[in-house]
Amino acid sequence: MPASCLKSDILSHKEIFSGVYQMTCRFPGPKAPGQFFMVRGWQGYPLLSRPISVNDADEDTVTFVYEVRGQGTQLLSALRPGESVELTGPVGSGFPVEKLSGRVAVVAGGIGIAPLLYAAKSMKGCEAELFCGFRGKSYLVEAFAPYVSAVHVASDSGAEGHHGFVTDLLDAADFDAVITCGPEIMMKKVARACREAGVLCYVSMERHMACGIGACLGCTCKTLHGAKCVCKDGPVFLGEDVMIDA
Amino acid sequence: MLETVIHGVTFKNPVIAASGTFGFGHEFSQFYDLSRLGGISSKGLTLEERFGNSGERLYETESGLINSIGLQNPGVDAFIRDELPYMESLGTVILANLGGGTLDAYLQGVEKLNGTSVDIIELNISCPNVKAGGMAFGIKSDVAYEVVREVRAVCKKPLMVKLSPNAENIVEMAARCEEAGADSISLVNTFKAMAIDIHKKKPVFDNIFAGLSGPAIKNIALRMVYEVSSAVQVPVIGMGGISRWEDAVEFIMAGASAVQVGTANFVRPTVCLEIIEGLEKFMVENSFQTIAEMVGIAHNNA
Ligand SMILES: Cc1cc2nc3c(=O)[nH]c(=O)nc-3n(C[C@H](O)[C@H](O)[C@H](O)COP(=O)(O)O)c2cc1C
C-alpha cells in the first residue's frame, strides 16, 4: 500500500469534546488500522506536518480525531469543511488485526483512543472489550458500541468511572490478546502485565518525527530486533519487542 | 537545458537530495520516479554500523529543525552490499556521503567505496552530532587540509568535500580544501545549535548541542556560498534551507553549480520535483539556455 501526497478536501470537521476535533477528508484507497497520515493545514510555519492516526476510514475517506496540543493542531482546528489539507500517507505499519482472535482487550489512554476505534472495527471474529482512561470526562467511547461487548472507564480526576488508572481495571490473563495506545508509561504497564500473563500484546508508539516515512531517523527506537523507525516499522510493535525495560 | 556537468559527472539537473534527509531513496520512490532527480547523496556512512544518539533527536524551531541523529547508519560494507545495488538502479547520480571519526576510518571507507559504482564521494567533515563525526576536522582549515590531502591520495572517485558552517573561517576552509585536492566543495551542513526544556530545566538533547537546518539558515548559507564561490575555482554545491525553486535559483546565482535539498524533503516528499519544475520554467521565462549561464550571475551584477 504505497503512500501518496495529496491535497484533500475536508468533508466535515467538528469539536467532539473540549479541545478534541474530528475531521473527515476525502482520500481514496485502502488504509489499515494503526496507520497514520502526515497532515498539513497551513503554508509555511510550523515547518513540519503533524502525524495523526486513522480514526476511521472507508474506500474514499479518512477520519482523524486529534487533540489540540500546539500551533499546528490549533491551525488545523480552524479549517472548515470545503477547505483543504495536505495529506501524506497512509504510512506506518498498523495493528495486525488478522492475527487477533478470541477475547481482545482494547486499552486506551486519553487521545490514544482515536486509532483504536478503526482497529476495533477491523477485528473480525473477536470478542473485544474497551478499557479507557481519561484525565476527566470520556469522549469517543460511544462510537465503540457496535464493536465491543463491554466498556470500562477510568479517570484521573474521578469525573467518570473508576477513580485511578485504566490499568487497575485490566486483568490481562482474561484475554487472548491486548492492543493499546496511549501514554508510554501506561503502555509499559500493559506490556508488562501481558508478558507476565503470556498474552499477545501490540502497542502503538509515539515519538517526535519529522518526515513520517522513515527517512530522517528522528523517531528511532530500540527493539529486540535492533533500531527501528517508529514511523515506518511501527507505530505498532509487539509489546515485548519495544518495552524492553518494562 | 537543466543539465549540469560537475568534475566530469553529468547531472540531469542541478537538484540533489541532501545526505541524511533522503535515506537511500526507498522511502521517496513511492511518491515519484527518482530518475527525475539530479542526484542523491546517501545517508552519512561510517566504517562501522552506528545506532545514533540517545534521547530526543528532533526539535522543531520557529522556522527550522534541530537534529541530533548522530549518523545512524548500517556501515559502509552493508551500504555497498544492501543499498547500493538499489541506488544504482535508480538512474540518477549517486553520492556516497562518508563521515569518519579518525583519519584512518575515512581512508578505509574511501578504499571500500573506490571499487563500487558510486559516482562521487562526498566527504563529510562537518557532522556536529557525533563527537568523532568529522566536525573536528571541519573547524580548523589546517586540520581539514591534512585530511583532504590524505583522502585525495587514495580516492579514485571525484571528491566533493562538505563543509561545516561552524568552520572558523569558511572562505579559508574552502580554499585549503581545494588546495588539498578537493574536486568540488559542498556547503553547508547544519549550524551548531541547542534548545532548553524550560520545564525540565535542562538541554533538550543528551549531547546538549545539535544541528540546525531548514529555512532558518537559508540566508546565512547563501552568503557563505556566495563568498566561497568567489574564492575557489572548483565547482560549489550549495545548500541550506532550500525549500522552493526560488531558493534554488538564488543559490545558483550566488555561485552554486548545483544545489542540495535537505529538510524540505520532510515537509513535502515531492519538493525536489517541484523545485526542478520551477527552475525549468524560470529558465524558459528568462531565456537562460543553460544552468552555467546562471551560475554566479549575481556576482557580475553586484
Ligand atoms: C535529520 C538530518 C540528518 C542529516 N544527516 C546528515 C548526514 O548524515 N550527513 C551529512 O553530510 N549531512 C547530514 N545532514 C545535513 C544536510 O545534508 C544539510 O547539509 C543540512 O540539513 C542543510 O540543508 P537543509 O537546510 O536543506 O536541510 C542532515 C540533516 C538533517 C536535518
Side-chain angles (χ1 to χ4, degrees), chain A residues 85-110:
Chain A
V85 285
E86 198 174 297
L87 298 180
T88 298
V91 287
S93 149
F95 292 104
V97 284
E98 68 291 344
K99 289 193 188 147
L100 303 176
S101 61
R103 288 169 55 75
V104 180
V106 176
V107 184

Side-chain angles (χ1 to χ4, degrees), chain B residues 18-20 43-44 67 71 97 124 162 188-189 213-214 239-241 262-263:
Chain B
S19 176
K43 173 66 198 167
N67 88 81
L71 289 181
N97 180 282
N124 177 7
K162 183 167 178 178
V188 297
N189 207 314
S213 63
M239 78 192 97
T263 303

Side-chain angles (χ1 to χ4, degrees), chain A residues 2-5 40 45-50 86 88 208-211 213-218 220 222 227 232, chain B residues 20-23 27-28 30-31 43 51 56-58 60 62-65 69 72 215 263 266-270:
Chain A
S4 41
C5 173
R40 188 174 191 81
Y45 309 107
L47 186 63
L48 302 173
S49 306
R50 298 295 184 244
E86 198 174 297
T88 298
H208 284 141
M209 48 184 73
C211 69
I213 60 174
C216 73
L217 306 183
T220 301
K222 278 204 169 88
K232 184 178 146 186
Chain B
T21 65
F22 216 74
E27 291 78 16
F28 290 86
Q30 57 189 329
F31 299 101
K43 173 66 198 167
F51 173 78
E56 211 38 83
R57 288 184 173 194
L58 297 170
E60 188 180 24
E62 292 306 305
S63 56
L65 177 68
I69 308 300
Q72 178 183 341
T263 303
F266 302 156
V267 177
R268 184 180 298 123
T270 51

Side-chain angles (χ1 to χ4, degrees), chain B residues 2-4 10-18 21-29 31-41 86-87 90-95 119 258-261 265 268-277:
Chain B
L2 292 175
E3 191 174 284
T4 180
T10 303
F11 293 73
K12 256 168 238 182
N13 62 65
V15 179
I16 302 166
T21 65
F22 216 74
F24 301 108
H26 303 280
E27 291 78 16
F28 290 86
S29 66
F31 299 101
Y32 63 99
D33 174 5
L34 301 185
S35 73
R36 299 276 309 272
L37 288 171
I40 300 175
S41 180
Y86 170 74
M87 290 187 87
L90 293 174
T92 186
V93 173
I94 302 302
L95 295 81
D119 298 294
V259 297
Q260 295 192 19
V261 178
N265 290 301
R268 184 180 298 123
T270 51
V271 71
C272 284
L273 215 51
E274 290 156 23
I275 291 172
I276 293 165
E277 284 164 2

Side-chain angles (χ1 to χ4, degrees), chain B residues 78-119:
Chain B
F79 165 74
I80 294 170
R81 189 184 63 231
D82 304 333
E83 307 292 351
L84 189 55
Y86 170 74
M87 290 187 87
E88 69 193 30
S89 76
L90 293 174
T92 186
V93 173
I94 302 302
L95 295 81
N97 180 282
L98 183 67
T102 61
L103 175 57
D104 198 49
Y106 277 121
L107 296 176
Q108 285 187 52
V110 169
E111 301 264 16
K112 287 174 190 284
L113 292 165
N114 272 339
T116 70
S117 63
V118 305
D119 298 294

